[in-house]
Amino acid sequence: MSDIQVKKLNVIFGKRKKEALKLLEQGLDKAEILNKTGCTVGVYDVNLEVKQGEIFVVMGLSGSGKSTLLRCFNRLISPTSGSIIMNGTDILKANDQELRQIRRKNMTMVFQHFGLLPHRTVSSNVAFGLEIQGLDEQERIKIAYKTIETVGLKGYEEQMTGQLSGGMQQRVGLARALATDPDVLLMDEAFSALDPLIRTNMQDELIQLQSKVKKTILFITHDLDEALKLGDRIAIMKDGKIVQIGTPEEILTNPADDYVKAFVENVDRGDIVTARSIMFENPASIRIDHDGPKVALRKMRKVGVTSLPVVDNDNRFLGFVKDEEMAALEHKGDVKMSEYMHAKKEVMAVEPETPVAELLPLFLDNIYNMAVVDKDKRLLGVVVHSSVIGEMIRKDQQEVVKIKEEGGLVL
Amino acid sequence: MSIEPGKYVEKGVEWLSTNASGFFDAITAGIGGVVTGIETVFTILPFWLVILLLAALSYYLPARGQLFTKKGWKAGGGMAIFTVVGLFLLYAMGYWEQTMQTIALILASAIIALAIGIPLGIYSARNDRAEQIIRPILDFMQTMPAFVYLIPAIILFSVGDVPGVVATIVFALPPAVRLTNLGIRNVPKDVVEASRAFGSTKRQLLYKVQLPLAMTTILAGVNQVIMLSLSMVVIASMVGAGGLGQEVYKGILQADIALGFEAGLGIVILAIILDRITQNLGMGSKMNQEN
Ligand SMILES: Nc1ncnc2c1ncn2[C@@H]1O[C@H](COP(=O)(O)OP(=O)(O)O)[C@@H](O)[C@H]1O
Ligand SMILES: [Mg+2]
């Protein structure tokens, strides 16, 4: 298995495809093209790379072309132009025989409305892919039973699928997709038809399952929260185009345009935005056994802060020093900084992946800024209290500074 | 100037009867064989055995899965009794042979109509173009008065059971095509998509997904084909087809009210029995789908 590269993919529905493609290249939008040629633009100029073993989420409003894009991967829809490279070959160039082989062995799909066979039992639904491959009955039922167990449906093997709840039906759908042990799972709004509670459960279980099976998953959703929760990376689609690709955090902290911003505005960012994205990088710091109180004070004044992190010669974080204490020591001459450094009592350093929501309570009993360190305790940055609060109330840095100046934020 | 489409049809039929007589002789022999075959089976068996078999069938189909329970009896018991009484009445009135002839004619027509209609329906379900062409032809076949089919039938197949069966097939064919087409097209899109996504061939898709899911609708088509075949028995007798239809026709020609009534009653009894039996064919798959 390898990564999958999508290059210059276009899907146009209608008779005058060539014409429509030309107009698209001239920069006309979807509505104009529909007007002029009667063609619908499903997907336009999509370039992306899905990495092996990641959950790649495609998100966008209804009609933005997500399903169309997904169906190009197993060619349930034939793209007008472009290429999708997997294992060194272009899926879009495969002949019927090769395509069937790809569908049987490499890629399976989970559908929004399950797409189960109502006249069959759970186990025979799960075994469907294997049956299509021509595996004999005993073998495929054995595999089906095992797969049914992994999706938590043990005991339901011989029920008819119509008797099951939506959530259980989708587990059958998932089991069916896993039974052939494919490299890639295509999931089209797989949880969108489920009740919110069951939906959350399924998301959790998918994450759990993924940590075991490590498939490459392409997951379609129109729900940002779902995208943020599941996606290692997210592509945001609008009118057939991809407007941004990034990690959940990148999408939240740095939306590419107003469309993405509009999505992002109503999200609870606390769980997604991490210390890394709000920290000040390469902060001013004090080297222990090297810098004295005078240097510390000068640096503080220069940067305009009331405390500074202290590091050793390898840039490993040790603690903080405060301005008032430094001021008191200023004329004492030779002092050991380590004696005046605050290092013990409270948590003073976090990892860059710590979500903002977890940072906030730490600040409550910590008057200092927070150091961000890597695994070897090397200082990466400093998070200040105001950034965290700002992040939690979804204002950007400048706005927070302004509020602070107006005396609205007590720090 | 006048346009005379009838002339062209006439010319066409004449041309066929002179140039393709071998072909039509073969068809005649084939259809004749099917009819006689079925008729032989039904007449060789003693009448009481036929009655018992049909009664058992009309009990079994609706009562499937709960055969020897009160519920099962409620579902199928009445019809079983009706079958026994009705058929015995026909036997007692002296119409047994004609009844068996009629059943043979209906079955032969229906089997052939289904053998043509179901594949055609499958084809038109998978091909929009074909559907566009086939649909108006079916409309035409069904709206044309059934009597009209008798004329070319008699020219191409002479007189007897065969032209009757041919006219019946033409008349009874459309619902087989239509309902097969409808049933397959109504299979949920995502189920078909799922099947394709797992790499099924067209054949696998048809046999494992489309036909099983369309079965209820297709069986409704089977029921309609049989009922339409039955409705043709009197008309078919005008070109020499035998059975109860012929008795009714004799009754008309001889103004014999008693004969007409008795044979007519026989057709009604057969109609009720066949309708119930074929209606319940589809129940099993319907129950599976609902569960
Ligand atoms: N088979 C089709 N024929 C014509 N237009 C289509 C077809 N399938 C999808 N479309 C159009 O392509 C666009 C993208 O649809 P889709 O991929 O289903 O969006 P999404 O999954 O994001 O809701 C829509 O404008 C839709 O109307
Ligand atoms: Mg969709």
Side-chain angles (χ1 to χ4, degrees):
Chain A
M1 245 321 274
S2 67
D3 303 344
I4 306 172
Q5 279 116 19
V6 179
K7 287 178 196 153
K8 294 192 174 160
L9 193 73
N10 296 301
V11 182
I12 292 164
F13 297 106
K15 294 224 167 80
R16 296 153 66 186
K17 293 188 171 67
K18 282 226 175 89
E19 221 171 306
L21 203 57
K22 213 174 256 163
L23 292 176
L24 256 178
E25 276 154 14
Q26 287 167 17
L28 274 73
D29 71 21
K30 204 172 151 166
E32 289 171 318
I33 284 167
L34 182 64
N35 241 329
K36 286 207 164 137
T37 64
C39 290
T40 307
V41 179
V43 166
Y44 175 55
D45 195 27
V46 164
N47 295 281
L48 55 86
E49 189 173 79
V50 184
K51 301 215 173 72
Q52 183 184 345
E54 78 173 336
I55 301 185
F56 188 93
V57 174
V58 179
M59 195 201 62
L61 296 177
S62 164
S64 58
K66 308 179 295 290
S67 299
T68 308
L69 173 61
L70 189 73
R71 278 163 177 70
C72 291
F73 283 81
N74 61 358
R75 287 207 0 224
L76 286 176
I77 290 177
S78 294
T80 312
S81 64
S83 61
I84 299 179
I85 313 283
M86 187 177 74
N87 295 332
T89 57
D90 188 349
I91 296 174
L92 305 186
K93 293 212 175 78
N95 62 28
D96 285 0
Q97 170 90 29
E98 291 162 345
L99 180 60
R100 268 201 302 277
Q101 224 45 40
I102 291 173
R103 289 173 176 173
R104 288 178 184 182
K105 305 268 166 149
N106 301 82
M107 253 186 220
T108 53
M109 195 159 173
V110 183
F111 297 84
Q112 180 172 6
H113 300 291
F114 323 135
L116 301 177
L117 296 171
H119 61 292
R120 293 185 174 206
T121 61
V122 169
S123 64
S124 116
N125 264 286
V126 172
F128 184 75
L130 302 165
E131 179 182 340
I132 292 295
Q133 290 180 15
L135 217 66
D136 68 56
E137 176 149 14
Q138 226 174 358
E139 189 118 357
R140 62 186 195 238
I141 291 297
K142 208 173 95 193
I143 298 174
Y145 267 63
K146 229 190 272 166
T147 320
I148 289 168
E149 196 176 341
T150 56
V151 300
L153 275 186
K154 198 174 160 70
Y156 291 91
E157 293 88 351
E158 297 311 317
Q159 300 234 9
M160 301 304 282
T161 53
Q163 298 168 328
L164 305 177
S165 67
M168 286 162 111
Q169 290 199 34
Q170 195 57 301
R171 282 167 203 264
V172 179
L174 190 59
R176 176 176 63 180
L178 289 170
T180 56
D181 195 24
D183 310 313
V184 182
L185 276 180
L186 307 174
M187 303 181 73
D188 189 3
E189 308 241 9
F191 303 150
S192 297
L194 307 176
D195 297 337
L197 206 67
I198 295 170
R199 191 169 172 173
T200 311
N201 278 345
M202 292 292 283
Q203 292 164 352
D204 293 338
E205 283 178 41
L206 183 68
I207 293 171
Q208 237 175 34
L209 194 69
Q210 168 68 350
S211 71
K212 272 182 263 164
V213 297
K214 300 217 166 49
K215 304 285 180 196
T216 303
I217 300 179
L218 261 117
F219 193 101
I220 302 289
T221 181
H222 62 259
D223 175 5
L224 183 65
D225 287 317
E226 188 168 73
L228 295 170
K229 182 168 172 186
L230 295 178
D232 292 316
R233 287 188 308 141
I234 300 169
I236 297 188
M237 272 189 103
K238 180 195 178 193
D239 291 343
K241 276 177 287 198
I242 288 194
V243 291
Q244 186 171 10
I245 299 182
T247 62
E249 197 173 331
E250 282 162 4
I251 301 271
L252 282 186
T253 50
N254 204 359
D257 63 9
D258 290 345
Y259 179 77
V260 183
K261 225 180 221 159
F263 263 121
V264 165
E265 249 155 23
N266 297 316
V267 167
D268 184 4
R269 305 159 62 108
D271 290 329
I272 296 114
V273 177
T274 61
R276 184 195 292 279
S277 65
I278 58 166
M279 72 185 184
F280 294 102
E281 282 174 74
N282 303 319
S285 60
I286 304 292
R287 250 163 78 196
I288 198 147
D289 303 334
H290 180 275
D291 299 331
K294 265 195 176 135
V295 178
L297 276 174
R298 250 186 60 190
K299 280 194 176 175
M300 285 183 201
R301 277 185 208 118
K302 207 169 141 204
V303 202
V305 290
T306 57
S307 68
L308 277 181
V310 182
V311 295
D312 66 11
N313 285 335
D314 283 332
N315 197 31
R316 267 188 271 267
F317 173 73
L318 300 170
F320 277 102
V321 287
K322 283 168 70 178
D323 59 350
E324 60 233 46
E325 286 159 5
M326 287 302 110
L329 293 172
E330 199 176 1
H331 303 293
K332 252 186 140 184
D334 195 21
V335 287
K336 269 209 167 347
M337 287 291 266
S338 51
E339 286 173 20
Y340 298 94
M341 188 180 69
H342 297 253
K344 298 273 155 56
K345 271 192 234 146
E346 304 95 350
V347 182
M348 287 181 175
V350 293
E351 288 182 352
E353 282 74 34
T354 314
V356 170
E358 285 174 30
L359 284 179
L360 199 57
L362 298 180
F363 272 102
L364 293 180
D365 43 10
N366 188 334
I367 52 167
Y368 306 103
N369 297 329
M370 188 71 70
V372 181
V373 298
D374 67 10
K375 275 196 231 76
D376 301 324
K377 295 268 179 277
R378 285 201 176 78
L379 183 67
L380 297 172
V382 168
V383 174
V384 300
H385 196 182
S386 59
S387 317
V388 176
I389 292 185
E391 202 41 67
M392 292 306 285
I393 60 176
R394 289 175 215 134
K395 303 274 193 256
D396 62 27
Q397 289 290 344
Q398 283 154 359
E399 283 175 289
V400 172
V401 171
K402 222 167 87 196
I403 295 172
K404 202 168 143 191
E405 277 165 1
E406 287 161 3
L409 254 180
V410 184
L411 294 177
Chain B
M1 196 192 100
S2 68
I3 302 172
E4 296 173 312
K7 274 262 158 60
Y8 304 132
V9 174
E10 188 183 323
K11 286 250 165 63
V13 171
E14 272 170 13
W15 184 88
L16 282 177
S17 77
T18 45
N19 291 296
S21 62
F23 174 67
F24 288 104
D25 287 349
I27 293 186
T28 308
I31 293 178
V34 175
V35 177
T36 352
I38 299 174
E39 204 182 317
T40 313
V41 172
F42 276 96
T43 42
I44 268 180
L45 296 174
F47 80 93
W48 52 267
L49 189 56
V50 174
I51 293 181
L52 272 183
L53 286 176
L54 285 175
L57 197 60
S58 61
Y59 176 74
Y60 171 77
L61 286 175
R64 244 175 307 181
Q66 42 188 18
L67 273 185
F68 302 106
T69 63
K70 244 191 182 152
K71 259 189 174 167
W73 180 248
K74 234 181 181 168
M79 203 49 223
I81 291 175
F82 179 87
T83 305
V84 172
V85 173
L87 288 179
F88 186 77
L89 186 66
L90 283 171
Y91 175 77
M93 290 190 301
Y95 290 101
W96 186 252
E97 204 188 317
Q98 287 90 331
T99 305
M100 292 306 105
Q101 268 173 4
T102 297
I103 288 181
L105 283 175
I106 293 169
L107 283 185
S109 311
I111 287 169
I112 297 169
L114 292 171
I116 300 169
I118 291 178
L120 213 54
I122 292 171
Y123 182 63
S124 69
R126 304 167 119 204
N127 187 328
D128 290 338
R129 197 65 213 225
E131 196 205 15
Q132 277 169 19
I133 297 168
I134 290 172
R135 187 197 290 265
I137 299 177
L138 295 180
D139 289 340
F140 182 84
M141 281 164 71
Q142 264 190 320
T143 29
M144 183 65 94
F147 289 94
V148 177
Y149 297 129
L150 297 179
I151 309 161
I154 212 167
I155 292 171
L156 297 172
F157 301 99
S158 108
V159 292
D161 285 341
V162 175
V165 168
V166 169
T168 305
I169 291 170
V170 176
F171 184 69
L173 181 72
V177 184
R178 260 192 235 286
L179 287 167
T180 304
N181 176 46
L182 182 73
I184 291 179
R185 282 182 184 267
N186 279 353
V187 173
K189 188 177 156 277
D190 58 338
V191 181
V192 175
E193 220 180 16
S195 170
R196 293 210 296 138
F198 281 86
S200 63
T201 58
K202 278 194 159 180
R203 173 181 271 273
Q204 286 173 322
L205 173 66
L206 181 67
Y207 284 106
K208 291 180 192 296
V209 178
Q210 291 176 314
L211 284 183
L213 291 184
M215 202 39 85
T216 314
T217 314
I218 295 175
L219 289 174
V222 172
N223 171 264
Q224 285 199 21
V225 167
I226 290 189
M227 297 320 286
L228 285 180
S229 302
L230 189 78
S231 75
M232 278 290 285
V233 293
V234 177
I235 294 170
S237 70
M238 292 166 68
V239 292
L244 291 170
Q246 184 139 72
E247 300 306 307
V248 174
Y249 190 48
K250 270 190 219 157
I252 297 169
L253 294 180
Q254 299 162 10
D256 185 337
I257 296 177
L259 177 62
F261 179 77
E262 285 171 9
L265 184 67
I267 291 175
V268 171
I269 291 171
L270 263 192
I272 293 173
I273 295 171
L274 288 177
D275 184 37
R276 282 312 189 81
I277 288 177
T278 53
Q279 243 176 33
N280 286 313
L281 274 180
M283 287 297 285
S285 47
K286 198 191 262 165
M287 258 151 54
N288 282 347
Q289 274 178 32
E290 275 163 9
N291 283 341

Short mmCIF file of all heavy atoms in Angstrom, two decimals, chain A residues 16 23 28-40:
data_model
loop_
_atom_site.label_atom_id
_atom_site.label_comp_id
_atom_site.label_asym_id
_atom_site.label_seq_id
_atom_site.Cartn_x
_atom_site.Cartn_y
_atom_site.Cartn_z
N ARG A 16 -22.24 18.34 -22.67
CA ARG A 16 -21.19 19.17 -23.28
C ARG A 16 -20.02 19.36 -22.33
O ARG A 16 -19.65 20.47 -21.96
CB ARG A 16 -21.80 20.50 -23.70
CG ARG A 16 -22.87 20.30 -24.78
CD ARG A 16 -23.91 21.39 -24.77
NE ARG A 16 -23.35 22.68 -25.16
CZ ARG A 16 -24.05 23.81 -25.12
NH1 ARG A 16 -25.31 23.80 -24.71
NH2 ARG A 16 -23.50 24.95 -25.48
N LEU A 23 -14.72 26.39 -20.19
CA LEU A 23 -15.26 27.57 -19.50
C LEU A 23 -14.77 27.62 -18.05
O LEU A 23 -14.47 28.68 -17.51
CB LEU A 23 -16.79 27.55 -19.53
CG LEU A 23 -17.41 27.75 -20.92
CD1 LEU A 23 -18.92 27.63 -20.85
CD2 LEU A 23 -17.02 29.12 -21.46
N LEU A 28 -15.07 30.71 -15.10
CA LEU A 28 -16.50 30.86 -14.84
C LEU A 28 -16.91 29.99 -13.66
O LEU A 28 -16.28 28.97 -13.39
CB LEU A 28 -17.30 30.45 -16.08
CG LEU A 28 -17.51 31.56 -17.12
CD1 LEU A 28 -16.21 31.85 -17.84
CD2 LEU A 28 -18.59 31.15 -18.11
N ASP A 29 -17.94 30.39 -12.95
CA ASP A 29 -18.33 29.57 -11.80
C ASP A 29 -19.42 28.58 -12.18
O ASP A 29 -19.91 28.54 -13.30
CB ASP A 29 -18.70 30.44 -10.59
CG ASP A 29 -20.01 31.17 -10.77
OD1 ASP A 29 -20.82 30.73 -11.61
OD2 ASP A 29 -20.23 32.17 -10.07
N LYS A 30 -19.74 27.74 -11.19
CA LYS A 30 -20.64 26.61 -11.39
C LYS A 30 -21.98 27.02 -12.00
O LYS A 30 -22.45 26.41 -12.96
CB LYS A 30 -20.86 25.98 -10.01
CG LYS A 30 -21.26 24.54 -10.04
CD LYS A 30 -21.27 23.96 -8.63
CE LYS A 30 -22.27 22.85 -8.57
NZ LYS A 30 -22.16 22.01 -7.40
N ALA A 31 -22.55 28.09 -11.46
CA ALA A 31 -23.88 28.53 -11.92
C ALA A 31 -23.82 29.01 -13.37
O ALA A 31 -24.69 28.68 -14.18
CB ALA A 31 -24.40 29.63 -11.01
N GLU A 32 -22.78 29.76 -13.70
CA GLU A 32 -22.65 30.27 -15.07
C GLU A 32 -22.50 29.12 -16.06
O GLU A 32 -23.05 29.16 -17.16
CB GLU A 32 -21.42 31.19 -15.16
CG GLU A 32 -21.62 32.52 -14.45
CD GLU A 32 -20.33 33.32 -14.35
OE1 GLU A 32 -19.27 32.72 -14.07
OE2 GLU A 32 -20.38 34.54 -14.54
N ILE A 33 -21.75 28.11 -15.65
CA ILE A 33 -21.52 26.99 -16.55
C ILE A 33 -22.79 26.18 -16.76
O ILE A 33 -23.12 25.75 -17.87
CB ILE A 33 -20.37 26.11 -16.02
CG1 ILE A 33 -19.06 26.84 -16.32
CG2 ILE A 33 -20.38 24.74 -16.67
CD1 ILE A 33 -17.88 26.30 -15.63
N LEU A 34 -23.55 26.06 -15.70
CA LEU A 34 -24.84 25.36 -15.82
C LEU A 34 -25.74 26.12 -16.79
O LEU A 34 -26.41 25.55 -17.64
CB LEU A 34 -25.50 25.26 -14.44
CG LEU A 34 -26.83 24.50 -14.40
CD1 LEU A 34 -26.63 23.05 -14.79
CD2 LEU A 34 -27.47 24.59 -13.03
N ASN A 35 -25.70 27.43 -16.67
CA ASN A 35 -26.49 28.29 -17.53
C ASN A 35 -26.10 28.16 -18.99
O ASN A 35 -26.95 28.05 -19.87
CB ASN A 35 -26.26 29.75 -17.10
CG ASN A 35 -27.56 30.37 -16.66
OD1 ASN A 35 -28.61 30.01 -17.18
ND2 ASN A 35 -27.49 31.27 -15.71
N LYS A 36 -24.79 28.16 -19.24
CA LYS A 36 -24.30 28.22 -20.62
C LYS A 36 -24.31 26.86 -21.30
O LYS A 36 -24.53 26.76 -22.49
CB LYS A 36 -22.88 28.78 -20.63
CG LYS A 36 -22.86 30.28 -20.37
CD LYS A 36 -21.63 30.92 -21.02
CE LYS A 36 -21.84 32.41 -21.10
NZ LYS A 36 -20.67 33.19 -20.73
N THR A 37 -23.99 25.80 -20.55
CA THR A 37 -23.81 24.50 -21.20
C THR A 37 -24.80 23.44 -20.73
O THR A 37 -24.91 22.39 -21.32
CB THR A 37 -22.40 23.94 -20.93
OG1 THR A 37 -22.28 23.71 -19.52
CG2 THR A 37 -21.33 24.91 -21.36
N GLY A 38 -25.52 23.72 -19.67
CA GLY A 38 -26.41 22.71 -19.11
C GLY A 38 -25.67 21.64 -18.35
O GLY A 38 -26.25 20.64 -17.93
N CYS A 39 -24.38 21.83 -18.15
CA CYS A 39 -23.59 20.84 -17.41
C CYS A 39 -23.43 21.24 -15.95
O CYS A 39 -23.30 22.42 -15.63
CB CYS A 39 -22.19 20.72 -18.02
SG CYS A 39 -22.19 19.93 -19.64
N THR A 40 -23.46 20.24 -15.08
CA THR A 40 -23.20 20.49 -13.66
C THR A 40 -21.76 20.14 -13.34
O THR A 40 -21.28 19.08 -13.72
CB THR A 40 -24.11 19.60 -12.79
OG1 THR A 40 -25.46 19.79 -13.21
CG2 THR A 40 -23.98 19.97 -11.33
#
